[in-house]
Amino acid sequence: MSISRRDFLFAMQAAAMAGLAPRLALAKSGEKLYDAPAFGNVRLLHLTDIHAQLQPVHFREPNVNLGIGPSNGKVPHVVGKHFLDHFGVASGSPRAHAFTYLNYTEAAQEYGRMGGFAHLKTLISQLRDQAGAGNSLLLDGGDLWQGSGTAFWTQGEDMVEASNLLGIDIMTGHWEFTYPEAQIRKNIEGFNGEFLAQNVFLSEEAMFMGAEAFDEFSGRVFKPYTVRELGGKRVAVIGQAFPYTPIANPSYFIPDWRFGIRESEMQQLVNEIRENEQVHAVVVLSHNGMDVDLKMASRVTGIDAILGGHTHDAVPQPTVVTNPGGKTLVSNAGTNGKYVAVLDLDIGDNGLRDYEYKLLPVFSDLIPADAAMVDFIETVRAPYADKLAEELAVTDELLYRRGNFNGTLDQLICDAQRKVLDAQISLSPGFRWGTSILPGEAITMDDVMNATAITYPETYVREMSGADLKLIMEDVADNLFNKDPYYQQGGDMVRVGGMDYTCDPTGSMNGRISDMRLDNGDPIEANKVYKVAGWATVNSRAPGKPIWDVVADYLRSEKTVKIDKFNTPKLKNVAGNPGLEDYAG
């Protein structure tokens, strides 16, 4: 029986009134999104960079993810149409919406929100059942305990409980280390799985003073690896925490701990595991960032797969890296609970024989919510529900944060600082987390906390010379665009308000930033002093009130949000780069 266009539109309208439009749109697409029959004898499920998002969200993928030098045009530095072409994803499909920024607002309205722990629980249970009892592990790559109001107010404890309900077996960390050491240890103690990190060591002084460590002889703070029996085979999992935590985040939370990539220690550990543990496969659960993982995979031998995080790259298929000892799969599983990565391994007595990989987008309207998880989320949010639900303003445009330079949500934060704190210029960190808000939606305190909830949120206003401003910009640009991934030590480019500039990502240190100007066109002069507002200082506590209060005050006064001036830089020498599309700078 066929259906006329008129009848179809009527049915869609009725479904929309009942809240079913996204589900019908997804069903209409005909894509078998969750067709993932088990392959081989071991199933590894991978989540990463959830940033404490317990509920379904909107999250726009980037239109700017530049690869510079050897990374130009290589995964993960492809966006939009280039991404679709590279991975063979159909334009206009649900997967195209999940993996790219293209037609984001329209597609988000059509397909609905993504993620949410209640929906993840249902999907993960199904995927584990398919693999059979004792044949799967659920791994989390870190940035789990931070990124929401409830995570901030409970010091990450809400996410520890949620991860226990979800059934996470193993995790590593990054933003987990932005709580005080005592809280970190409390959270790990409450976690039912194993927390692994081979690359975190006590300082020499802390070792001498007898500070707590997993291994007093080596000074390793945490257990470096674990071996699990899966599908009749022994699989080792090594944890690799974010190497540059004390640079990108305050070291005063964890003054006794020393981080780093620790490539030589990783190679030594892999060798020892291979020699002593009779394992059939070695997997690294990493928070290095994908470019760092790719380089490590080319240099460290004996690793079968690196399941990575930190850079929030949603990569549908792993990159196969050749090294002197063989080949290593390198993947990255996105962010915000939007995806579940499924790595099925066929492991024989002599090691890995074959694999299948799927990165499953989690469309919340397609997956029934797990009742126990729904009850937990409602309970943990209840003490803060009224505060989180406050409607501060309405947005006239899509608010998002993700990409090498300012997103509209970053611009809003910068504008709020300039107005509320009475500054000429504002700076905001190049964070990759923070959920998206569609045009016409109310901006709630929940949304603001999702973009600002850190343990060092204090704002500042200070005088800075033009020379100091340029030094800051150049330093962050070098972290982002250094051609050697091992020197990429932070997030994306610092966000700015009230100032325009030109950026040459292909340049070298002190040669990437030029033509800095105030919004009125006046050039930034090296010897002139400017009033600058900012937040999230790393080396010391700032004196001002938390950034979320500044943003909330601004939104309450504005009522309706529209970005009048978008301070994205003018770019040089990146024409034709497949990591750049629809750029407004």
Side-chain angles (χ1 to χ4, degrees):
M1 177 181 175
S2 62
I3 184 171
S4 69
R5 184 174 186 276
R6 177 184 177 185
D7 288 342
F8 175 75
L9 292 174
F10 179 82
M12 288 295 289
Q13 182 180 20
M17 292 174 66
L20 300 175
R23 186 173 297 177
L24 287 178
L26 288 160
K28 179 176 175 286
S29 74
E31 288 201 45
K32 296 181 179 180
L33 293 167
Y34 305 117
D35 185 16
F39 170 85
N41 47 6
V42 171
R43 169 162 284 186
L44 302 180
L45 303 176
H46 180 218
L47 306 168
T48 192
D49 298 278
I50 285 174
H51 285 288
Q53 295 306 312
L54 289 171
Q55 296 187 304
V57 301
H58 292 301
F59 185 82
R60 176 192 183 272
E61 299 298 328
N63 66 306
V64 186
N65 187 1
L66 292 167
I68 302 302
S71 298
N72 187 344
K74 295 181 180 178
V75 175
H77 303 287
V78 288
V79 299
K81 295 176 182 176
H82 292 98
F83 184 103
L84 300 183
D85 291 342
H86 182 90
F87 289 107
V89 177
S91 177
S93 66
R95 282 166 52 83
H97 170 58
F99 292 125
T100 73
Y101 74 93
L102 296 168
N103 305 310
Y104 185 80
T105 297
E106 295 80 4
Q109 292 168 338
E110 183 175 10
Y111 297 127
R113 294 178 182 267
M114 301 189 69
F117 263 51
H119 306 280
L120 281 169
K121 174 63 175 175
T122 300
L123 177 58
I124 287 167
S125 295
Q126 173 184 314
L127 294 169
R128 299 193 82 158
D129 287 344
Q130 289 173 347
N135 298 331
S136 66
L137 285 177
L138 178 57
L139 312 176
D140 182 272
D143 286 0
L144 177 62
W145 301 347
Q146 174 276 334
S148 71
T150 56
F152 173 77
W153 290 314
T154 66
Q155 298 285 278
E157 292 182 22
D158 65 328
M159 298 309 301
V160 174
E161 292 183 61
S163 65
N164 289 340
L165 280 174
L166 196 63
I168 294 173
D169 295 297
I170 301 167
M171 69 175 292
T172 190
H174 169 205
W175 278 89
E176 285 71 18
F177 304 124
T178 60
Y179 297 107
E181 179 181 345
Q183 185 65 45
I184 297 169
R185 293 194 180 279
K186 180 181 179 183
N187 287 353
I188 292 173
E189 181 67 23
F191 174 46
N192 290 343
E194 292 187 279
F195 190 99
L196 306 178
Q198 76 85 19
N199 59 325
V200 184
F201 290 76
L202 289 176
S203 67
E204 290 185 7
E205 181 181 0
M207 286 184 67
F208 180 77
M209 297 300 293
E212 183 178 355
F214 169 77
D215 179 4
E216 294 181 0
F217 178 76
S218 69
R220 274 198 169 99
V221 176
F222 302 106
K223 186 177 181 179
Y225 74 94
T226 188
V227 177
R228 300 292 185 95
E229 185 93 12
L230 301 167
K233 303 300 177 185
R234 287 171 60 80
V235 178
V237 180
I238 302 171
Q240 175 81 355
F242 181 54
Y244 295 112
T245 296
I247 297 173
N249 308 100
S251 60
Y252 53 75
F253 290 119
I254 44 170
D256 293 338
W257 298 354
R258 302 294 179 263
F259 291 70
I261 295 172
R262 308 275 186 171
E263 181 186 286
S264 61
E265 287 90 341
M266 176 67 81
Q267 183 65 77
Q268 181 179 356
L269 186 61
V270 172
N271 293 345
E272 290 174 358
I273 292 169
R274 289 284 186 185
E275 291 170 7
N276 302 325
E277 294 283 8
Q278 294 82 47
V279 298
H280 301 95
V282 175
V283 174
V284 173
L285 179 61
S286 166
H287 203 90
N288 279 335
M290 190 160 182
D291 285 338
V292 178
D293 284 335
L294 290 167
K295 180 173 178 177
M296 176 177 279
S298 73
R299 294 162 62 93
V300 177
T301 62
I303 299 171
D304 292 294
I306 301 178
L307 303 179
H310 178 60
T311 39
H312 293 195
D313 300 304
V315 179
Q317 288 298 323
T319 298
V320 181
V321 179
T322 301
N323 56 55
K327 295 180 179 179
T328 301
L329 307 175
V330 177
S331 71
N332 201 294
T335 184
N336 280 274
K338 281 182 65 175
Y339 317 92
V340 176
V342 183
L343 176 60
D344 285 335
L345 302 175
D346 179 18
I347 303 174
D349 291 340
N350 296 319
L352 181 62
R353 294 183 297 217
D354 201 358
Y355 75 94
E356 285 190 359
Y357 184 90
K358 294 181 177 69
L359 187 60
L360 304 180
V362 182
F363 289 99
S364 308
D365 287 291
L366 279 187
I367 304 168
D370 178 81
M373 190 68 81
V374 169
D375 289 344
F376 166 76
I377 294 170
E378 290 178 351
T379 299
V380 81
R381 287 174 60 86
Y384 318 102
D386 291 343
K387 182 174 183 176
L388 293 172
E390 181 187 358
E391 295 186 357
L392 303 167
V394 173
T395 179
D396 264 359
E397 57 190 284
L398 174 66
L399 297 178
Y400 65 90
R401 171 200 281 163
R402 176 69 174 94
N404 292 152
F405 304 104
N406 280 32
T408 50
L409 185 55
D410 299 299
Q411 191 69 52
L412 184 155
I413 293 170
C414 287
D415 291 348
Q417 290 180 96
R418 289 182 65 208
K419 181 171 182 179
V420 176
L421 302 177
D422 188 27
Q424 293 171 282
I425 298 168
S426 55
L427 305 176
S428 188
F431 294 149
R432 298 186 180 96
W433 47 274
T435 56
S436 303
I437 308 164
L438 303 186
E441 289 186 343
I443 306 170
T444 65
M445 195 66 193
D446 203 1
D447 296 319
V448 172
M449 295 303 293
N450 286 344
T452 60
I454 63 175
T455 53
Y456 50 108
E458 297 83 7
T459 54
Y460 64 83
V461 180
R462 64 182 64 146
E463 291 187 337
M464 290 186 189
S465 69
D468 287 341
L469 277 168
K470 185 175 189 299
L471 185 63
I472 291 170
M473 302 290 284
E474 290 281 9
D475 185 57
V476 179
D478 191 64
N479 279 339
L480 177 59
F481 296 120
N482 195 298
K483 293 180 178 64
D484 186 342
Y486 279 11
Y487 289 93
Q488 295 171 6
Q489 299 174 349
D492 283 306
M493 188 63 188
V494 61
R495 283 52 164 123
V496 300
M499 184 181 81
D500 293 317
Y501 63 100
T502 296
C503 179
D504 180 0
T506 67
S508 55
M509 184 63 179
N510 297 321
R512 294 186 178 92
I513 307 298
S514 61
D515 197 26
M516 297 165 58
R517 294 178 179 271
L518 295 173
D519 276 355
N520 64 9
D522 290 349
I524 300 291
E525 300 177 29
N527 296 324
K528 191 171 180 178
V529 172
Y530 301 88
K531 190 177 181 183
V532 179
W535 65 290
T537 54
V538 169
N539 294 323
S540 61
R541 292 269 186 193
K545 60 184 178 180
I547 184 63
W548 49 75
D549 286 342
V550 172
V551 175
D553 287 346
Y554 172 75
L555 292 172
R556 292 184 188 108
S557 68
E558 291 294 308
K559 305 296 185 185
T560 300
V561 170
K562 182 174 178 59
I563 306 299
D564 295 321
K565 180 73 164 59
F566 198 26
N567 291 120
T568 53
K570 179 181 178 181
L571 300 180
K572 295 172 60 177
N573 297 323
V574 291
N577 191 305
L580 182 72
E581 283 188 4
D582 297 330
Y583 185 69

